[in-house]
């Protein structure tokens, strides 16, 4: 289903172990970048030596004379093929940062390239666009800024009809956007938002994916909440994005992924989430989640977790909006299939990407916190035990599971009755044996609710050496008040 | 993780839920020293809970971008010539021809053969260059529409419009698709009065369809090629025929 993968060949001439090692390295580098708030997906792109990544031979770094010669040939050569070849050679050279530097420092080089980009020779135009694309991969903002003279044309071409060309322009724009605020400051008055809003009506999947990428880069800019997101929300882009995320036969996961991430950035900015809710975002996201849960059972499709992640983030954050209760959000919150879907996804995450489990549990918290309906669903669908099975996985997961259980328990005796008897108490005794303060703290909260609404639990707690379990923590600053309170309740009722 | 057997069936079942159990809270619940309050939690973009998902996203993007940067495979076919009258370019790959057609013939003015990258720019060109009514109206009202899509501004002269595009939209002053109208016919190669075009020696007016076969560089002597004159049947374009006037209400006012 991902249009990308079968179309291009993955040219790596090395073994699986090597691939895994490289991937671990890249992952570590990305983690580090994120912690330093430098996570930019375009960076680190060519860490691997190009020769290995390509599998075909790659040109060497070009010197100034060569760059000049290729440009001259491309511009003024007499033979069509000769001109094309010159540009191809230039493009290959531009894979190297050194050549990029030489190019941008050469007077008139960008002007020539732009001339070729707008010429009447289609193949030269394409190659010129590819040269620009190479330049857009640079990690130096100076190179991105050198491409400024081309941006008005890249935008103009978005309303053309050549879908491959449009795709290339979009990826180039996306790369330039992420690299430099100066570029973004020019693209906005040049009309990038209306251009994207027009382009999103294209029927071509590859164009839509590229557009989603470019838009996601635009939305990640640090100035996006003030300078970019308002005009995006004013345009027709949100409606189209949601349309492209509707489950059904026309849904393309590669496209949906891009727009799901776009939505995530928009929602996190909190500029106007109410508007998104008015456009039906909750409904679309909810339906998509159901669809995903169905899909993970059916197929061996790669990459569904890449879509699940932003979808559940969007849904979860939207649920915190006050507007939800006022509007049709009610509908979503009263359909227990969403809880069923979430647990099916938990099982899927356990196999594919366990790190997504905390995000899923966070959504479950947001779904159940203020919803007696969905808390009841957890009970009626027998999901408490599966939930408890997740406890040992990690401290973060434990805290979230316990929080969800507290959501259920705090609704009163009718709910606690359903939690009792059962594995809950023995699980709590196990979590009390841990040393993580947050896990233990949340366990204490749950115990209080249980003791309050289901007094029989106290006896069982005492019989299973609960007091000793509590004693472990009575010196802990964060916990001692609650420990003492529970000890009092347990002993005196 | 063991899920109850009925869960999958529930997912596939009808929307809705069982009637919620009655809620009945005791004020002691969550009272100090306890502090639990059930509430939805908002997480900001940089939250550490999102770290792994973000990293996976970026790994995916890196793979996609590496693939995008690769040279695409092209489907090779026997060489053929573009069939549009007056165009003599030759192609050996379908994708190249499609691109050529879309860029040069897809939005071409049938009156002066200039080609434009989009219908929007073609329409503006036809109005401003070939519509005499436009000229008349322009004397009395602001008719020159800003060329940036989405901008509603109109101007008295093309000069004013260009100033607007440069100052407000940060467009280049020599934007190729906003040439001032010349009195010449279909552009002659390399002979434009517009000085900015002189920078590109052989392109003449932008986006010109090759209308003068003699102007194309001759094939190197000694080479003889026979070109098929059929466009491969696999080529299919949505739009294409060069356009003159769209039928508009204005036509009725032509007297």
């Amino acid at each position: 289903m991902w249009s990308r993968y079968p179309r291009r060949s993955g040219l790596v001439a090395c073994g699986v172990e090597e691939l895994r090692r490289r991937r671990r390295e890249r992952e570590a580098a990305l983690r580090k970048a994120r912690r330093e708030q430098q996570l930019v997906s375009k960076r680190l792109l060519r860490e691997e030596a190009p020769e290995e990544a390509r599998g075909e031979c790659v040109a060497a770094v070009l010197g100034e004379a060569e760059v000049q010669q290729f440009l001259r040939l491309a511009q003024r050569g007499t033979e069509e093929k000769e001109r094309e070849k010159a540009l191809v050679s230039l493009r290959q050279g531009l894979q190297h940062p050194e050549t990029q530097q030489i190019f941008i420092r050469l007077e008139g080089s960008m002007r020539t390239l732009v001339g070729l980009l707008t010429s009447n020779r289609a193949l030269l135009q394409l190659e010129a666009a590819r040269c620009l694309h190479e330049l857009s991969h640079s990690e130096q903002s100076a190179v991105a800024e050198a491409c400024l003279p081309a941006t008005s044309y890249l935008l103009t071409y978005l309303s053309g009809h050549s879908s491959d060309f449009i795709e290339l322009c979009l990826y180039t724009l996306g790369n330039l956007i992420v690299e430099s605020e100066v570029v973004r400051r020019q693209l906005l008055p040049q009309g990038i938002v209306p251009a994207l809003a027009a382009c999103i009506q294209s029927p071509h999947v590859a164009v839509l994916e590229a557009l989603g990428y470019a838009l996601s880069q635009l939305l990640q800019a640090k100035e996006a909440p003030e300078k970019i997101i308002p005009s995006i929300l004013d345009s027709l882009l949100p409606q189209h994005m949601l349309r492209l995320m509707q489950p059904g036969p026309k849904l393309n996961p590669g496209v949906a992924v891009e727009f799901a991430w776009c939505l995530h950035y928009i929602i996190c900015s909190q500029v106007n989430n109410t508007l998104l809710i008015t456009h039906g975002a909750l409904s679309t996201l909810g339906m998509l989640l159901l669809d995903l849960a169905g899909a993970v059972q059916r197929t061996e499709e790669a990459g569904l977790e890449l879509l699940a992640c932003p979808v559940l983030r969007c849904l979860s954050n939207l649920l915190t909006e006050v507007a939800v209760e006022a509007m049709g959000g009610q509908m979503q919150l009263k359909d227990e299939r969403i809880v069923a879907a979430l647990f099916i996804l938990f099982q899927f995450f356990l196999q594919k990407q366990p790190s997504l489990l905390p995000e899923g549990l966070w959504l479950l918290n947001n779904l159940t916190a203020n919803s007696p309906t969905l808390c009841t669903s957890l009970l009626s669908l027998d999901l408490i035990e599966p939930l408890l099975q997740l406890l040992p996985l990690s401290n973060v997961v434990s805290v979230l599971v316990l929080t969800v259980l507290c959501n259920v328990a705090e609704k009163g005796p009718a709910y606690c009755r359903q939690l009792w008897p059962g594995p809950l108490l023995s699980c709590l005794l196990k979590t009390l044996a841990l040393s993580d303060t947050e896990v233990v703290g949340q366990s204490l909260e749950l115990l209080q609710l249980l003791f309050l609404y289901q007094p029989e639990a106290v006896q069982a707690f005492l019989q299973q050496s609960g007091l000793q379990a509590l004693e472990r923590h009575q010196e802990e600053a964060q916990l001692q008040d609650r420990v003492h309170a529970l000890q009092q309740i347990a002993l005196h009722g | 993780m063991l899920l109850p057997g009925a869960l999958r069936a529930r997912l596939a079942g009808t929307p809705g839920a069982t009637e919620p159990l009655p809620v009945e809270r005791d004020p002691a619940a969550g009272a100090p020293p306890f502090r639990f309050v059930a509430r939805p939690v908002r997480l900001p973009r940089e939250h550490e809970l999102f770290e792994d998902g973000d990293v996976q996203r970026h790994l995916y993007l890196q793979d996609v971008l590496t693939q995008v940067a690769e040279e695409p495979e092209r489907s090779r076919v026997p060489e053929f010539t573009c069939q549009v009258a007056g165009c003599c370019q030759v192609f050996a790959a379908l994708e190249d021809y499609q691109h050529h057609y879309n860029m040069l013939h897809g939005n071409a003015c049938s009156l002066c053969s200039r080609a434009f990258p989009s219908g929007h720019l073609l329409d503006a060109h036809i109005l401003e260059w070939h519509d005499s009514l436009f000229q008349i109206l322009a004397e009395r009202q602001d008719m020159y529409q800003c060329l940036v899509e989405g901008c509603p501004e109109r101007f008295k002269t093309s000069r004013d419009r260009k100033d607007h595009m440069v100052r407000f939209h940060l467009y280049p002053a020599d934007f190729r698709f906003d040439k001032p109208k010349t009195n010449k016919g279909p552009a002659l190669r390399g002979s434009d009065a517009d000085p900015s075009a002189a920078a590109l020696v052989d392109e003449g007016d932008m986006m010109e369809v090759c209308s003068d076969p003699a102007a194309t560089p001759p094939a190197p002597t000694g080479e003889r090629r026979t070109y098929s004159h059929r466009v491969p049947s696999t080529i299919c374009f949505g739009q294409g025929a060069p356009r003159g006037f769209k039928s508009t209400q204005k036509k009725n006012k032509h007297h």
Side-chain angles (χ1 to χ4, degrees):
Chain A
M1 267 164 93
W2 303 102
S3 59
R4 188 105 266 143
Y5 290 93
R7 199 167 130 216
R8 320 264 192 190
S9 49
L11 314 161
V12 185
C14 49
V16 173
E17 242 342 283
E18 180 63 16
L19 273 176
R20 283 212 197 104
R21 184 190 66 78
R22 287 229 196 104
R23 192 180 170 88
R24 279 195 298 269
E25 278 175 10
R26 279 160 62 204
E27 220 177 288
L30 285 169
R31 242 174 252 288
K32 178 163 178 285
R34 188 182 188 275
R35 285 180 198 153
E36 295 166 5
Q37 310 258 330
Q38 297 273 23
L39 189 55
V40 157
S41 54
K42 200 194 68 163
R43 255 166 221 177
L44 311 170
L45 184 64
R46 290 192 197 283
E47 261 193 5
E48 316 167 65
E51 304 84 58
E52 290 152 66
R54 266 143 224 283
E56 54 189 49
C57 69
V58 163
V61 175
L62 299 177
E64 185 175 311
E66 289 168 288
V67 172
Q68 263 178 333
Q69 185 200 29
F70 287 139
L71 277 173
R72 206 176 295 127
L73 260 178
Q75 189 185 37
R76 297 178 200 168
T78 47
E79 251 295 315
E80 186 86 16
K81 290 267 181 280
E82 193 183 43
R83 298 174 72 184
E84 256 179 76
K85 272 213 189 112
L87 264 187
V88 170
S89 304
L90 178 63
R91 174 184 37 99
Q92 287 170 344
L94 284 174
Q95 288 166 14
H96 298 281
E98 298 95 321
T99 314
Q100 291 169 357
Q101 287 296 324
I102 288 172
F103 179 88
I104 65 170
R105 286 197 212 117
L106 206 51
E107 193 176 317
S109 60
M110 186 53 70
R111 191 175 176 71
T112 306
L113 195 59
V114 171
L116 291 161
L117 181 69
T118 56
S119 75
N120 66 354
R121 294 290 188 243
L123 299 183
L124 290 180
Q125 207 183 42
L126 262 175
E127 274 308 320
R130 291 199 190 109
C131 288
L132 263 177
H133 185 73
E134 286 299 336
L135 286 167
S136 77
H137 277 306
S138 166
E139 293 165 25
Q140 319 231 331
S141 49
V143 176
E145 282 153 32
C147 296
L148 282 171
T151 59
S152 61
Y153 298 109
L154 291 174
L155 287 178
T156 305
Y157 289 141
L158 293 186
S159 47
H161 297 291
S162 186
S163 63
D164 279 355
F165 192 63
I166 294 175
E167 189 193 349
L168 186 60
C169 291
L170 283 166
Y171 277 114
T172 305
L173 280 166
N175 290 343
L176 292 175
I177 283 168
V178 89
E179 201 52 63
S180 153
E181 187 172 353
V182 173
V183 168
R184 297 193 293 268
R185 270 208 300 266
Q186 172 162 298
L187 281 174
L188 286 165
Q190 282 185 340
I192 186 168
V193 175
L196 292 177
C199 197
I200 201 170
Q201 299 175 61
S202 165
H204 299 278
V205 160
V207 167
L208 293 171
E209 224 182 292
L211 196 155
Y213 167 72
L215 186 56
S216 73
Q217 301 293 49
L218 198 56
L219 290 166
Q220 282 182 89
K222 62 183 189 329
E223 76 275 14
E226 309 96 60
K227 306 251 173 75
I228 301 172
I229 292 178
S231 46
I232 292 200
L233 288 172
D234 273 340
S235 76
L236 288 174
L237 279 167
Q239 285 102 308
H240 283 293
M241 291 199 289
L242 288 171
R243 170 180 61 83
L244 291 165
M245 291 170 63
Q246 297 274 2
K250 286 207 220 144
L251 177 71
N252 180 289
V255 170
V257 157
E258 297 310 311
F259 292 119
W261 282 97
C262 289
L263 260 181
H264 168 57
Y265 300 134
I266 295 177
I267 291 171
C268 284
S269 77
Q270 293 185 259
V271 170
N272 191 352
N273 289 339
T274 309
L275 183 68
L276 291 174
I277 295 174
T278 334
H279 287 319
L282 272 174
S283 168
T284 301
L285 290 164
M287 299 299 295
L288 191 49
L289 202 71
L290 295 181
D291 200 57
L292 273 169
V296 305
Q297 300 173 83
R298 278 195 307 271
T299 65
E300 263 310 304
E301 241 167 76
L304 287 172
E305 68 277 10
L306 290 167
L307 179 53
C309 173
V311 169
L312 42 93
R313 289 184 189 188
C314 288
L315 200 45
S316 197
N317 266 333
L318 271 185
L319 287 171
T320 65
E321 296 293 324
V322 176
V324 164
E325 278 148 54
M327 306 184 155
Q330 302 273 22
M331 231 70 76
Q332 222 48 53
L333 302 179
K334 289 193 152 86
D335 185 350
E336 67 184 9
R337 293 180 303 163
I338 198 146
V339 171
L342 201 43
F343 273 78
I344 291 170
L345 285 172
F346 287 167
Q347 196 182 53
F348 172 69
F349 291 156
L350 276 173
Q351 297 160 7
K352 279 292 173 112
Q353 202 181 320
S355 56
L356 282 181
L357 219 43
E359 297 196 27
L361 286 167
W362 162 57
L363 171 57
L364 189 59
N365 172 72
N366 286 3
L367 283 169
T368 53
N370 293 331
S371 175
T373 305
L374 292 182
C375 284
T376 306
S377 303
L378 272 181
L379 295 164
S380 65
L381 292 173
D382 285 321
L383 292 171
I384 300 297
E385 245 194 89
L387 201 53
L388 290 172
Q389 285 170 34
L390 297 174
L391 274 172
L393 284 174
S394 72
N395 288 335
V396 172
V397 169
S398 295
V399 171
L400 288 164
V401 168
L402 291 165
T403 308
V404 171
L405 290 167
C406 284
N407 287 349
V408 176
E410 71 91 29
K411 307 263 180 313
Y415 293 78
C416 285
R417 206 166 299 135
Q418 306 267 338
L419 290 173
W420 185 263
L424 182 57
L425 190 58
S426 51
C427 286
L428 276 175
L429 287 164
K430 287 207 196 94
T431 55
L432 280 178
L434 297 172
S435 50
D436 184 274
T437 325
E438 246 200 292
V439 176
V440 175
Q442 208 63 28
S443 310
L444 298 175
E445 299 286 340
L446 185 53
L447 272 172
Q448 193 238 359
L449 293 167
L450 207 53
F451 289 173
L452 188 60
Y453 295 130
Q454 191 69 21
E456 295 95 320
V458 181
Q459 274 311 304
F461 179 75
L462 290 170
Q463 279 161 14
Q464 293 180 45
S465 318
L467 280 177
Q468 284 91 307
L470 284 177
E471 267 162 35
R472 272 195 67 187
H473 304 289
Q474 57 190 12
E475 302 305 314
E476 178 62 51
Q478 299 260 22
L479 302 170
Q480 48 188 211
D481 292 341
R482 291 181 280 178
V483 166
H484 292 153
L486 279 175
Q487 285 168 331
Q488 292 304 305
I489 297 171
L491 291 171
H492 307 297
Chain B
M1 185 193 195
L2 286 169
L3 293 176
L7 201 65
R8 284 165 169 60
R10 184 64 197 91
L11 179 69
T14 52
T18 46
E19 197 59 33
L21 295 165
V23 177
E24 206 186 310
R25 290 189 180 95
D26 188 316
F34 297 94
R35 45 209 192 203
F36 178 74
V37 177
R39 68 161 84 86
V41 170
R42 169 179 293 139
L43 292 182
R45 243 179 75 187
E46 332 73 58
H47 198 274
E48 56 182 350
L49 204 78
F50 290 160
E51 182 179 299
D52 279 303
D54 283 354
V55 166
Q56 295 307 315
R57 157 67 174 168
H58 287 274
L59 277 173
Y60 165 72
L61 272 184
Q62 286 181 354
D63 286 340
V64 168
L65 292 172
T66 313
Q67 293 183 346
V68 169
E70 285 161 11
E71 186 154 348
E73 298 151 21
R74 295 181 187 172
S75 34
R76 301 260 145 216
V77 293
E79 284 189 341
F80 61 94
T81 338
C82 176
Q83 284 302 284
V84 173
C87 184
C88 38
Q89 292 202 26
V90 175
F91 301 92
L94 297 183
E95 292 82 358
D96 295 346
Y97 182 50
Q98 280 188 324
H99 179 63
H100 161 86
Y101 192 96
N102 283 324
M103 295 305 282
L104 283 189
H105 306 307
N107 293 290
C109 176
S110 58
L111 298 163
C112 67
S113 304
R114 277 179 181 77
F116 295 86
S118 69
H120 169 70
L121 287 170
L122 172 63
D123 290 344
H125 161 82
I126 291 171
L127 259 182
E128 295 170 18
W129 285 49
H130 302 300
D131 187 345
S132 43
L133 181 62
F134 178 91
Q135 300 303 326
I136 295 168
L137 287 173
E139 286 161 29
R140 279 184 267 131
Q141 46 187 271
D142 295 341
M143 293 290 290
Y144 286 89
Q145 166 109 56
C146 175
L147 295 178
V148 176
E149 248 185 284
C151 180
E153 298 292 325
R154 288 178 182 268
F155 301 87
K156 195 111 185 65
T157 66
S158 72
R159 177 84 225 195
D160 290 343
R161 179 195 38 212
K162 178 182 282 293
D163 281 346
H164 162 82
M165 283 175 64
V166 169
R167 269 191 271 128
F168 189 79
H169 293 295
L170 307 185
Y171 263 55
D174 62 350
F175 187 61
R176 315 279 183 214
F177 308 117
D178 181 24
K179 286 292 156 81
K181 185 174 176 181
T182 64
N183 289 323
K184 306 188 175 157
L188 306 170
R189 298 175 71 79
S191 62
D192 245 0
D194 186 13
S196 63
L200 287 114
V201 170
D202 65 339
E203 301 296 13
D205 208 347
M206 285 301 105
M207 301 291 277
E208 269 309 302
V209 173
C210 161
S211 50
D212 179 7
T216 7
T221 53
E223 254 187 72
R224 303 197 111 258
R225 295 182 195 184
T226 47
Y227 301 123
S228 153
H229 289 277
R230 286 238 187 90
V231 174
S233 56
T234 44
I235 299 267
C236 142
F237 305 111
Q239 298 208 11
R243 284 184 279 147
F245 288 101
K246 288 198 321 201
S247 58
T248 65
Q249 295 156 339
K250 277 193 237 157
K251 273 212 146 157
N252 297 332
K253 295 183 193 155
H254 271 205
H255 290 311

